[in-house]
Amino acid sequence: MSEYRFMNQLIEKEHIPTPAYVFDLDKMKEFAEKVKRCLTGKAEICYAMKANPFLIKPMLEIVSSLEVCSPGEFRICERAGIPMEKIVLSGVYKNPDDIAYMLDTYGNRGTYTVESLQHLEVLNDTAVRHGITLSVLIRVTSGNQFGIDEAEIRKIISEREKYTGIEIEGIQFYSGTQKRNLSQMQEELKHLDTFIRELEEIGGMEIRTLEYGPGFFVPYFVKDKSMRTEELLGEFVEILDGLQFKGRIVLEMGRFLAASCGYYITSIVDMKVNKEQPYVILDGGINHLNYYGQAMAMKHPYCSQLDFEGHEKTGDEEQHWNLCGALCTVSDVIVKQFPLRNPKICDILVFERVGAYSVTEGIYLFLSRPLPKIYFWTQADGLHLVRDGIHTDVLNSEN
């Protein structure tokens, strides 16, 4: 129960406190600081805010920059007062009007990624019209729609003098998330290390920055096997030590930094047995809760059962129930055959490790259900409401 220090305050604040998200900022900062220490100064951290945009201000106390991938994310940063110098403007498509606005407002502050030759030309032409030079990172494709083919990058580097509005700071690479071992990362970094030397030889220039997304694995489910953070990052630092590249290395991380600090809280509102299968109906569902790698609701996430007063239920024999949400679709099954102890209506389930993506990835507009409330928790300040519940029916109807 010490894990859920926020529950008493949540129940005191709200007669029916669910569904809701709680993000433990103390836990978030503690983990992010651990990651930073384990990197031993060999790499900086860039927080990919798409994982959880609510965390950008507390996260920026620890990381060196934020990866911003859309105009909406950029506006979130503006409202939060994030300095443009701390922003890496990424994303496969950047609207020319949005780029013009950013340059009008912030000049040459910030860093921009390049995802295509056309992308490069738009950035360059806009910068030239504004009389400034933009710092850019060229994204190297991993074999999908993102980034630029290596042959094209060689050509860009060899012809870089014609892009007078652009200063190539370095390269960026990201190939995916939830990598279970370090071998893929080692191969990727070795290849990037060789590619950087090749670019420098071709263009007679210095690649100053390598931004790399490692995609470290987050153990979401009870049966997941994973390395201790210290062990994982210790071995990763050894890989970095083996690189010939001695410039600035920035690790783009989102899920890995944010996942562990989040909790999704939902209540039992109905119970039934249909054709000998026991079902619990919750006031939340798959519109609010999304675990990467969930397979037909068969994997069991970390979750605890509390009574309506917030006390952990113990003692009773466990029985297996299918946990379903409140959506009118047979797809709204969160977990099958989950062990519960004498479940009752108004019992509370606390799902852990939902600090990344669930808060933005759910199918929120389906069936016009309300958005959950969102709280921050710290030991010093207790529970703090940062977003009230929002009715989505107004978005699903004519103005």
Side-chain angles (χ1 to χ4, degrees):
M1 270 303 298
S2 60
E3 179 75 16
Y4 309 132
R5 298 170 295 176
F6 48 79
M7 280 304 303
N8 288 339
Q9 287 190 20
L10 182 60
I11 291 172
E12 289 172 4
K13 284 176 177 285
E14 304 285 352
H15 176 61
I16 303 176
T18 61
Y21 298 104
V22 177
F23 300 124
D24 186 333
L25 299 189
D26 291 343
K27 190 171 186 178
M28 182 218 79
K29 291 179 180 179
E30 180 182 351
F31 183 73
E33 290 281 13
K34 178 194 288 187
V35 172
K36 190 174 180 179
R37 287 195 306 272
C38 289
L39 292 174
T40 64
K42 299 297 175 62
E44 301 174 22
I45 302 173
C46 175
Y47 174 58
M49 69 174 286
K50 61 179 174 284
N52 189 333
F54 288 90
L55 300 179
I56 56 174
K57 290 180 73 174
M59 196 69 78
L60 199 56
E61 297 175 17
I62 301 164
V63 304
S64 62
S65 56
L66 302 177
E67 187 209 29
V68 177
C69 289
S70 73
E73 287 191 344
F74 184 78
R75 290 192 292 272
I76 291 171
C77 288
E78 280 192 309
R79 289 194 293 271
I82 303 299
M84 188 67 190
E85 294 84 354
K86 298 290 187 178
I87 290 176
V88 178
L89 224 298
S90 191
V92 70
Y93 169 65
K94 298 179 181 65
N95 187 299
D97 291 338
D98 293 322
I99 295 173
Y101 164 77
M102 294 170 194
L103 301 194
D104 282 336
T105 309
Y106 301 101
N108 64 352
R109 289 179 284 168
T111 302
Y112 295 74
T113 65
V114 173
E115 295 269 357
S116 70
L117 183 58
Q118 177 178 316
H119 201 169
L120 175 65
E121 291 171 348
V122 169
L123 285 170
N124 179 71
D125 293 347
T126 309
V128 169
R129 287 198 302 273
H130 284 74
I132 61 178
T133 302
L134 289 181
S135 176
V136 304
L137 299 171
I138 300 178
R139 181 165 182 173
V140 183
T141 188
S142 62
N144 49 34
Q145 72 269 39
F146 296 99
I148 307 178
D149 191 77
E150 292 179 12
E152 193 74 56
I153 294 175
R154 295 185 187 97
K155 183 178 179 182
I156 290 171
I157 295 295
S158 65
E159 298 177 351
R160 70 185 184 281
E161 292 82 5
K162 71 180 184 181
Y163 301 109
T164 58
I166 294 297
E167 181 180 1
I168 299 172
E169 170 73 21
I171 62 174
Q172 181 195 54
F173 183 87
Y174 174 78
S175 65
T177 188
Q178 292 296 79
K179 298 172 186 171
R180 290 181 174 270
N181 57 61
L182 294 172
S183 59
Q184 182 180 346
M185 303 176 211
Q186 186 171 24
E187 291 176 8
E188 290 172 347
L189 285 166
K190 181 179 179 181
H191 179 77
L192 291 169
D193 196 28
T194 301
F195 187 53
I196 286 172
R197 294 197 304 276
E198 181 184 342
L199 293 179
E200 291 179 331
E201 291 171 2
I202 291 173
M205 63 172 292
E206 179 186 10
I207 300 293
R208 295 188 293 273
T209 299
L210 168 60
E211 183 176 303
Y212 175 72
F216 291 128
F217 181 74
V218 173
Y220 282 130
F221 306 107
V222 173
K223 291 186 178 180
D224 282 341
K225 295 180 180 180
S226 63
M227 299 171 65
R228 291 177 58 250
T229 301
E230 294 85 351
E231 181 183 356
L232 171 70
L233 295 178
E235 292 188 18
F236 183 77
V237 165
E238 290 181 7
I239 295 174
L240 297 183
D241 285 337
L243 300 179
Q244 291 190 39
F245 176 72
K246 300 304 177 185
R248 177 174 172 251
I249 297 176
V250 182
L251 301 181
E252 175 206 318
M253 292 188 255
R255 184 188 309 276
F256 189 66
L257 293 179
S260 63
C261 79
Y263 303 85
Y264 176 67
I265 304 161
T266 181
S267 297
I268 296 176
V269 294
D270 202 354
M271 300 167 59
K272 64 182 79 173
V273 176
N274 288 345
K275 295 186 180 298
E276 300 183 352
Q277 282 292 317
Y279 293 92
V280 156
I281 308 300
L282 304 171
D283 60 2
I286 61 170
N287 52 328
H288 302 155
L289 185 64
N290 180 41
Y291 284 105
Y292 187 97
Q294 180 65 297
M296 302 295 291
M298 297 302 293
K299 296 182 180 181
H300 288 191
Y302 291 87
C303 176
S304 293
Q305 178 189 3
L306 315 178
D307 64 24
F308 70 95
E309 294 181 334
H311 303 123
E312 190 166 8
K313 299 193 77 168
T314 59
D316 294 305
E317 183 179 350
E318 289 185 340
Q319 298 175 315
H320 289 87
W321 292 75
N322 299 310
L323 308 185
C324 301
L327 298 180
C328 285
T329 170
V330 293
S331 300
D332 196 6
V333 182
I334 299 174
V335 190
K336 293 178 181 177
Q337 299 298 307
F338 188 80
L340 295 176
R341 298 180 184 275
N342 189 24
K344 304 288 185 182
I345 289 177
C346 293
D347 277 2
I348 296 169
L349 299 184
V350 182
F351 290 86
E352 301 178 20
R353 309 186 187 194
V354 297
Y357 292 104
S358 276
V359 72
T360 53
E361 262 192 355
I363 49 175
Y364 284 114
L365 298 186
F366 185 50
L367 287 163
S368 302
R369 290 277 179 178
L371 300 183
K373 295 183 178 183
I374 297 177
Y375 296 89
F376 284 168
W377 161 267
T378 64
Q379 184 68 47
D381 299 326
L383 201 66
H384 173 57
L385 181 68
V386 295
R387 189 191 75 188
D388 207 345
I390 299 174
H391 288 287
T392 63
D393 56 282
V394 296
L395 302 176
N396 287 340
S397 59
E398 295 183 18
N399 294 329

